[in-house]
Amino acid sequence: MKAILTVHNIASDLVTTFWTPVFVGIFIAIVTYALWPRNQAAFDEAAKMPLREE
């Protein structure tokens, strides 16, 4: 029996082969940016923002 190519199969293959690695790369870039030591002071300041009484 031949496999029938449907829009769903094509879309699923596209997501699996292209978008998954793209999103994994974006996620790794965001985590790297957030944990980079140079950015620690900015994140510490932002973490204290709700506690400031101005």
Side-chain angles (χ1 to χ4, degrees):
M1 180 176 244
K2 267 187 160 179
I4 299 173
L5 290 178
T6 63
V7 174
H8 182 268
N9 288 344
I10 294 170
S12 176
D13 290 343
L14 178 68
V15 167
T16 303
T17 59
F18 181 70
W19 287 110
T20 301
V22 169
F23 286 129
V24 168
I26 291 170
F27 176 77
I28 290 172
I30 291 170
V31 169
T32 302
Y33 173 78
L35 297 178
W36 206 256
R38 184 182 69 198
N39 299 327
Q40 184 176 5
F43 283 114
D44 286 343
E45 184 65 28
K48 295 175 186 175
M49 195 179 301
L51 303 176
R52 280 192 254 163
E53 293 182 22
E54 294 181 322

